[in-house]
Amino acid sequence: MPASTFMSSDAIRAAFSAAMSVMYRQEVPAYGTLMELVSDINAATLQKQPALRASLEATETLDRISEERHGAIRLGTEAELAMMRRVFAVMGMFPVGYYDLSEAGVPVHSTAFRPVDEASLRINPFRVFTSLLRLDLIADPQLRVAAQKTLGARRIFSDDAIALVEKAERDGGLSRADGERFVAEVLNTFRWHEEASVERALYDRLHATHRLVADVVSFKGPHINHLTPRTLDIDAVQDEMPKRGIVPKAVVEGPPSRACPILLRQTSFKAIEERVSFPDAEGNLVGGSHTARFGEIEQRGVALTPKGRSLYDRLLNETRAKVRPAADGSNAQAYGAALKESFVTFPDDWNAIRMAGLGYFLYSIVPGADFSTLGGDEIEALVEAGVVRFDPIIYEDFLPVSAAGIFQSNLGDAVVQDFVASPNQRLFEKALGTFVLNEFDHYARIERTSIEQCLAAARAVSAAA
Ligand code: OOG
Ligand code: NI
């Protein structure tokens, strides 16, 4: 088949993200309530801020502003991760970043599968934060073996899904009909299974090790555990949640609210308790409950350089040393105040952030700019002369401390078990079957390319003059 008749990987991803949204709203009605709230707040924010509206109108599709930006799954085995990489590749999603959550007491390590180039991000930015369970962190050897056996026996992808992945790899793409079948088949992998695949006693032992271990091992597949639309005002959504009957987590993760947003702010409603059933030795089903699935929202800002990121990390640590957010929200105000106070030292002006080398920016030529008297050797001279402008490059990745906060609040915060951290990126990449893209290198490359393009254009104009 000629490549031009393939369904584009961007279109497959957009269809997948839309199908996930519909499925998750049916599975978790509170998520539907959150989506309505987000869309109301986004509409109100656009009405109150005409300048924001104008800038979004120029750069994005306004009617899709409240769509999902990411979701998350947790896998049980290396083979599942390797196959998942191939599934996401069909949708134009590639592994970016490595997150070792064991450092924060969560026994997984993770990457984010996401579109990488700007054009694909614009069409549909959907990402899936994908974690692999660290069975080696289960201390009890007997339990570890039982978990391994359970996971080894399950098949999370249908034969048709695998066949379509192989076809896409062989032919370089899928027809529209195959692309649609692929979405429907793959969607099943992320479905919720009310019926556990382990007996109650094993579930309880897994749960006692870590709630996350029970969530990954006890079910037939890696159910999507949350989806995350984008909000234009995260604080307003956080405040409104209780009025709509949903319980927000104690605090918003990430930086405080600022004039120039940095990185990523996130919050969620607390995971719901759901009825599940466990098979017993006689094959009868016994009732129980499981708490894992929730809804989240995000608001993104500029990607930070390693220097900016280490300042961010230092200020966040400083805040948490002063006030550690309690799970019940009792010190949420004090935490918010401490966060604001610490971040006073982080410049809150785009040019100051840029001049201090804290963030990544995209440089572009101002339309109609007059270059005639300028050479093309120094980007700064072009910026000062007003012929080149700079805009923040949005952070498209995740934050380990925030992710840990999201995990914890949705697994019951009461017991925060500790696991010994060890850097396992190599092992993770071996299981994945490829390297993950380093997010800092990626943003640096986008910035550098934009600078080179501006300089080349300026040189061409001054040579012709
Ligand atoms: C993933 C938590 C991480 C985020 O937004 O930081 C995440 C999980 O709970 O499986 O999605
Ligand atoms: Ni998330």
Side-chain angles (χ1 to χ4, degrees):
M1 183 181 341
S4 59
T5 64
F6 286 145
M7 182 170 177
S8 75
S9 51
D10 293 331
I12 299 178
R13 180 176 65 260
F16 170 71
S17 147
M20 290 275 269
S21 181
V22 171
M23 180 176 84
Y24 201 58
R25 267 184 257 193
Q26 281 162 359
E27 289 185 350
V28 181
Y31 178 65
T33 309
L34 179 69
M35 284 294 275
E36 278 166 27
L37 171 57
V38 165
S39 139
D40 292 350
I41 299 273
N42 284 354
T45 309
L46 288 172
Q47 191 150 40
K48 269 186 286 188
Q49 299 182 34
L52 176 66
R53 183 185 185 98
S55 99
L56 289 174
E57 246 162 8
T59 53
E60 322 214 18
T61 334
L62 264 193
D63 59 349
R64 289 184 19 214
I65 225 82
S66 306
E67 275 180 8
E68 280 82 2
R69 299 293 157 136
H70 82 260
I73 54 166
R74 304 151 183 171
L75 300 172
T77 68
E78 298 188 346
E80 289 176 0
L81 180 64
M83 189 62 210
M84 198 55 92
R85 172 180 70 77
R86 294 168 61 195
V87 167
F88 283 134
V90 175
M91 300 188 244
M93 297 158 83
F94 306 98
V96 181
Y98 171 77
Y99 306 92
D100 186 355
L101 277 303
S102 68
E103 286 170 16
V106 180
V108 301
H109 46 178
S110 320
T111 190
F113 288 94
R114 70 167 178 90
V116 173
D117 65 77
E118 186 50 32
S120 296
L121 279 165
R122 255 169 201 271
I123 294 169
N124 180 290
F126 192 63
R127 315 152 245 251
V128 178
F129 191 90
T130 303
S131 300
L132 176 64
L133 183 62
R134 293 271 311 274
L135 280 177
D136 57 303
L137 293 176
I138 299 183
D140 174 354
Q142 259 188 327
L143 188 61
R144 198 184 315 138
V145 170
Q148 244 154 6
K149 235 177 97 185
T150 307
L151 288 169
R154 75 179 186 182
R155 292 287 169 266
I156 65 170
F157 300 100
S158 69
D159 291 345
D160 284 353
I162 295 172
L164 285 164
V165 170
E166 285 167 352
K167 188 171 185 183
E169 289 172 346
R170 198 174 51 235
D171 299 350
L174 292 176
S175 67
R176 176 154 288 274
D178 278 344
E180 280 163 9
R181 275 206 308 134
F182 169 87
V183 169
E185 278 303 321
V186 164
L187 191 66
N188 286 325
T189 297
F190 301 92
R191 250 179 231 292
W192 172 244
H193 299 276
E194 188 270 341
E195 202 178 303
S197 50
V198 300
E199 288 181 24
R200 179 64 197 249
L202 179 53
Y203 176 90
D204 287 343
R205 283 169 65 207
L206 296 166
H207 196 273
T209 300
H210 196 291
R211 283 174 184 238
L212 193 84
V213 177
D215 183 59
V216 178
V217 178
S218 311
F219 297 92
K220 293 184 187 103
H223 41 257
I224 183 87
N225 69 55
H226 68 280
L227 286 179
T228 310
R230 169 190 186 182
T231 172
L232 300 174
D233 188 345
I234 199 166
D235 299 300
V237 180
Q238 174 87 349
D239 289 347
E240 273 285 311
M241 273 197 246
K243 290 181 214 146
R244 306 247 181 148
I246 43 185
V247 186
K249 77 185 277 304
V251 297
V252 174
E253 298 288 343
S257 135
R258 299 158 42 90
C260 300
I262 56 172
L263 296 172
L264 169 63
R265 301 184 73 213
Q266 302 162 273
T267 186
S268 68
F269 66 77
K270 292 213 172 196
I272 47 168
E273 189 179 324
E274 299 177 89
R275 308 294 315 155
V276 293
S277 52
F278 300 95
D280 69 10
E282 281 80 50
N284 301 315
L285 291 176
V286 290
S289 72
H290 181 67
T291 306
R293 302 194 301 159
F294 58 98
E296 186 191 36
I297 50 174
E298 65 170 50
Q299 194 170 3
R300 291 177 180 269
V302 68
L304 298 185
T305 61
K307 184 180 172 200
R309 178 57 180 274
S310 66
L311 177 58
Y312 167 80
D313 285 338
R314 185 165 69 71
L315 298 177
L316 190 68
N317 284 336
E318 187 185 298
T319 308
R320 289 180 168 250
K322 277 188 270 180
V323 186
R324 206 184 155 84
D328 64 2
S330 51
N331 61 0
Q333 284 219 319
Y335 176 74
L339 192 63
K340 268 227 139 52
E341 191 187 294
S342 291
F343 273 80
V344 168
T345 35
F346 202 112
D348 198 7
D349 164 275
W350 291 129
N351 199 42
I353 293 173
R354 189 178 71 91
M355 294 309 279
L358 299 172
Y360 291 111
F361 292 86
L362 191 75
Y363 293 80
S364 60
I365 289 169
V366 174
D370 178 14
F371 281 96
S372 48
T373 58
L374 297 161
D377 307 323
E378 264 287 357
I379 193 72
E380 222 35 61
L382 299 176
V383 170
E384 266 164 41
V387 299
V388 161
R389 58 174 287 158
F390 56 88
D391 293 282
I393 297 174
I394 298 299
Y395 188 60
E396 302 291 352
D397 295 289
F398 293 85
L399 296 168
V401 176
S402 299
I406 296 279
F407 268 109
Q408 300 293 7
S409 78
N410 288 295
L411 293 164
D413 317 72
V415 265
V416 178
Q417 293 109 318
D418 281 329
F419 287 92
V420 184
S422 62
N424 272 303
Q425 183 163 353
R426 291 291 158 267
L427 282 176
F428 185 86
E429 289 176 327
K430 199 164 150 272
L432 189 65
T434 182
F435 294 109
V436 302
L437 180 63
N438 178 289
E439 64 274 31
F440 291 106
D441 294 348
H442 179 62
Y443 296 118
R445 198 174 313 121
I446 297 173
E447 182 180 81
R448 204 166 51 239
T449 307
S450 76
I451 291 175
E452 279 159 12
Q453 281 168 353
C454 289
L455 292 179
R459 263 185 236 119
V461 171
S462 57

